[in-house]
Amino acid sequence: DTAVSQTPKYLVTQMGNDKSIKCEQNLGHDTMYWYKQDSKKFLKIMFSYNNKELIINETVPNRFSPKSPDKAHLNLHINSLELGDSAVYFCASSPGQKSYGYTFGSGTRLTVV
Amino acid sequence: AQSVTQLGSHVSVSEGALVLLRCNYSSSVPPYLFWYVQYPNQGLQLLLKYTTGATLVKGINGFEAEFKKSETSFHLTKPSAHMSDAAEYFCAVSASGGYQKVTFGIGTKLQVIP
């Protein structure tokens, strides 16, 4: 049973489209995250939610909007996709205290053409 | 603010040789330190972590790391490399206390030569 699951695994779309990535965790964790990994493997945090409340919001374009309907789910919606949005997006979760470390999903590879 | 520097984006070792992946951190408060491993087309997996207490921490797959405050380092080692260790390794740091973000290094790709 996958602990942190993301869908879809691959997403190819045209510039200007709107797309969503879903994330679900069955670990009972309180905190969830979205990270972006670029082509050079650099990982950058985008958002973090704790019990459905936004606690970290990095400098990310307004086109990116996270939504957490409950503490087990964190979705990422992207409007007006651009070529530069092509990357691997990782969802992660933690019990709420970051000293435990994160559990990552397997990633969503987004390609904008 | 915290930051992490991983020395060497690529490291090659022979199978059976010592693995040493270097990580230096910067933090204005006591840090939490982590090493993650990423296999191709997979998410990151926690290898080990340092929060408080013993400075030598042991992780999965025979890896260990030592927190050296005086050197601001948290290098990852394994006595004998195995072919299955070939992967990307990420060092990460966060500040202790509160909801503070974890900052990752740029990663070190480990190649194991048979």
Side-chain angles (χ1 to χ4, degrees):
Chain A
D1 207 16
T2 306
V4 180
S5 59
Q6 293 179 231
T7 54
K9 191 169 177 64
Y10 300 96
L11 187 52
V12 181
T13 187
Q14 291 188 326
M15 276 175 34
N17 284 351
D18 303 338
K19 289 293 178 186
S20 291
I21 306 171
K22 296 187 176 182
C23 179
E24 176 181 4
Q25 55 96 1
N26 61 8
L27 298 167
H29 288 172
D30 289 331
T31 312
M32 296 184 73
Y33 312 81
W34 278 112
Y35 273 83
K36 179 181 180 181
Q37 187 175 48
D38 63 24
S39 58
K40 295 184 178 178
K41 301 283 188 178
F42 181 65
L43 272 162
K44 185 172 168 53
I45 190 167
M46 302 174 69
F47 303 102
S48 176
Y49 272 77
N50 183 68
N51 269 324
K52 303 191 297 176
E53 180 185 348
L54 182 65
I55 55 172
I56 294 175
N57 185 353
E58 288 294 287
T59 308
V60 176
N62 291 338
R63 300 180 293 103
F64 289 80
S65 53
K67 281 207 175 126
S68 182
D70 56 62
K71 75 173 193 178
H73 295 84
L74 179 61
N75 303 323
L76 183 65
H77 188 74
I78 315 169
N79 290 326
S80 303
L81 278 154
E82 299 177 358
L83 293 176
D85 297 331
S86 295
V88 181
Y89 292 84
F90 285 101
C91 178
S93 71
S94 65
Q97 296 183 35
K98 59 186 181 303
S99 62
Y100 288 101
Y102 295 164
T103 301
F104 278 85
S106 57
T108 295
R109 183 175 294 275
L110 171 65
T111 303
V112 183
V113 297
Chain B
Q2 295 75 45
S3 67
V4 164
T5 302
Q6 289 185 243
L7 298 172
S9 58
H10 286 82
V11 170
S12 291
V13 300
S14 298
E15 191 175 15
L18 172 72
V19 176
L20 171 60
L21 304 182
R22 298 177 187 273
C23 173
N24 288 90
Y25 70 90
S26 171
S27 178
S28 55
V29 297
Y32 290 162
L33 293 158
F34 308 86
W35 276 100
Y36 287 84
V37 60
Q38 184 179 29
Y39 298 102
N41 298 315
Q42 293 186 28
L44 281 73
Q45 180 184 5
L46 182 66
L47 267 180
L48 49 78
K49 63 184 179 188
Y50 168 80
T51 54
T52 58
T55 56
L56 181 64
V57 291
K58 295 185 186 298
I60 61 172
N61 302 338
F63 284 93
E64 61 182 39
E66 186 169 11
F67 170 60
K68 291 188 177 181
K69 184 178 177 181
S70 60
E71 298 177 10
T72 60
S73 69
F74 192 58
H75 301 331
L76 182 71
T77 60
K78 182 174 180 177
S80 176
H82 192 273
M83 295 300 295
S84 61
D85 294 327
E88 193 97 22
Y89 291 81
F90 293 89
C91 183
V93 64
S94 70
S96 51
Y99 287 107
Q100 303 214 26
K101 63 183 180 182
V102 174
T103 300
F104 286 81
I106 61 169
T108 298
K109 187 167 186 174
L110 176 66
Q111 181 185 17
V112 181
I113 303 166

